[in-house]
Amino acid sequence: GQQLNQSPQSMFIQEGEDVSMNCTSSSIFNTWLWYKQDPGEGPVLLIALYKAGELTSNGRLTAQFGITRKDSFLNISASIPSDVGIYFCAGLPTLQTGANNLFFGTGTRLTVIP
Amino acid sequence: EADIYQTPRYLVIGTGKKITLECSQTMGHDKMYWYQQDPGMELHLIHYSYGVNSTEKGDLSSESTVSRIRTEHFPLTLESARPSHTSQYLCASSEFGRGPHREQFFGPGTRLTVL
């Protein structure tokens, strides 16, 4: 199935720094989701976006639905050690055919150095 | 509180054994999914279901099978486990429809090791 291009693949940052990651697709999407997965656990939904240009925050996390509808961004401000994990984007294409399942990005592995 | 449960969380088993991984959700979701994920890697959809008596194969071919006899229950079975089946298996559920609210909610996963 279609994969979303997620970057960067991994990040090593100092505690307190801000983090940015993004996800792009070749198709227009009408839903963008961001998940975080802790080691040995299932992904947990962080933010859901439904409209182009939408900017939504969840604590120190802010995500945006790109104007082109082909991308989304996640920012984490003032990172802390518990931000460590893998962040996945996921989306739903506007042109819905077949099973209409979510497409998932390949993940961004975040390491926060205390 | 609505949630999605998976048991067992960890399973170590010998080659050739039959295993069933359990998944249950209390959210009343019609659609359920099974993903296979190697540690730190991407998610691969192996099975999904639209509702009771519906099962479909996902994007990644898998030797496992699934059943959906009740809305809340979506077990995955391996008839004869092999070392190549060693992985993490994640169950998820979502609403079923054509609208944009298609968020999937994941269980904690089952870490399977086949010796």
Side-chain angles (χ1 to χ4, degrees), chain A residues 61-85:
Chain A
L61 278 62
T62 301
Q64 184 163 23
F65 194 135
I67 291 293
T68 66
R69 302 179 70 182
K70 293 184 177 182
D71 55 11
S72 180
F73 308 88
L74 176 69
N75 296 310
I76 305 173
S77 63
S79 59
I80 59 178
S82 62
D83 290 334
V84 166

Side-chain angles (χ1 to χ4, degrees), chain A:
Chain A
Q2 176 180 339
Q3 287 288 347
L4 301 177
N5 296 314
Q6 188 171 347
S7 65
Q9 279 190 313
S10 62
M11 303 180 74
F12 291 80
I13 62 168
Q14 290 289 138
E15 182 176 356
E17 288 183 350
D18 296 344
V19 174
S20 291
M21 60 190 78
N22 68 80
C23 202
T24 60
S25 76
S26 56
S27 305
I28 294 173
F29 278 39
N30 64 14
T31 298
W32 283 102
L33 308 172
W34 285 93
Y35 290 85
K36 182 195 177 199
Q37 185 177 25
D38 291 331
E41 299 292 332
V44 174
L45 182 65
L46 298 173
I47 294 178
L49 303 159
Y50 304 108
K51 290 170 55 176
E54 181 180 356
L55 189 71
T56 297
S57 294
N58 178 5
R60 292 178 297 104
L61 278 62
T62 301
Q64 184 163 23
F65 194 135
I67 291 293
T68 66
R69 302 179 70 182
K70 293 184 177 182
D71 55 11
S72 180
F73 308 88
L74 176 69
N75 296 310
I76 305 173
S77 63
S79 59
I80 59 178
S82 62
D83 290 334
V84 166
I86 302 177
Y87 293 79
F88 289 99
C89 63
L92 196 62
T94 300
L95 289 178
Q96 300 177 18
T97 60
N100 301 313
N101 293 327
L102 287 176
F103 294 111
F104 281 86
T106 50
T108 294
R109 182 189 294 271
L110 178 63
T111 302
V112 179
I113 303 166

Side-chain angles (χ1 to χ4, degrees), chain A residues 1 3 30-31 33 35 37 40-43 45 48 50 86 88 92 96 98-102 104-106 109, chain B residues 9 31 33 35 37 40-43 45 48 50 59 88 90 98-108 111:
Chain A
Q3 287 288 347
N30 64 14
T31 298
L33 308 172
Y35 290 85
Q37 185 177 25
E41 299 292 332
L45 182 65
Y50 304 108
I86 302 177
F88 289 99
L92 196 62
Q96 300 177 18
N100 301 313
N101 293 327
L102 287 176
F104 281 86
T106 50
R109 182 189 294 271
Chain B
R9 291 294 314 276
K31 207 164 179 184
Y33 314 79
Y35 291 86
Q37 181 189 34
M41 303 299 287
E42 58 205 88
L43 301 165
L45 181 67
Y48 61 99
Y50 292 106
D59 303 318
Q88 170 147 291
L90 292 162
R98 291 287 172 178
H101 293 263
R102 211 73 60 74
E103 301 94 337
Q104 291 184 17
F105 297 91
F106 286 83
R111 174 69 62 86

Side-chain angles (χ1 to χ4, degrees), chain B:
Chain B
E1 181 180 286
D3 215 338
I4 181 163
Y5 310 93
Q6 289 186 245
T7 57
R9 291 294 314 276
Y10 304 93
L11 181 61
V12 181
I13 201 162
T15 297
K17 299 291 186 183
K18 177 181 178 179
I19 61 167
T20 296
L21 307 184
E22 302 288 350
C23 177
S24 295
Q25 51 97 4
T26 60
M27 292 175 276
H29 287 161
D30 286 316
K31 207 164 179 184
M32 295 188 74
Y33 314 79
W34 277 103
Y35 291 86
Q36 185 174 341
Q37 181 189 34
D38 291 330
M41 303 299 287
E42 58 205 88
L43 301 165
H44 294 285
L45 181 67
I46 53 175
H47 299 283
Y48 61 99
S49 165
Y50 292 106
V52 172
N53 294 325
S54 157
T55 61
E56 305 286 343
K57 292 191 180 297
D59 303 318
L60 180 69
S61 176
S62 173
E63 294 171 340
S64 59
T65 60
V66 292
S67 62
R68 190 89 183 274
I69 298 173
R70 303 197 318 263
T71 298
E72 63 272 19
H73 194 215
F74 191 39
L76 180 146
T77 299
L78 273 166
E79 290 292 333
S80 179
R82 295 206 304 267
S84 61
H85 297 139
T86 294
S87 190
Q88 170 147 291
Y89 293 84
L90 292 162
C91 181
S93 71
S94 72
E95 293 181 4
F96 173 48
R98 291 287 172 178
H101 293 263
R102 211 73 60 74
E103 301 94 337
Q104 291 184 17
F105 297 91
F106 286 83
T110 294
R111 174 69 62 86
L112 173 66
T113 302
V114 184
L115 303 175

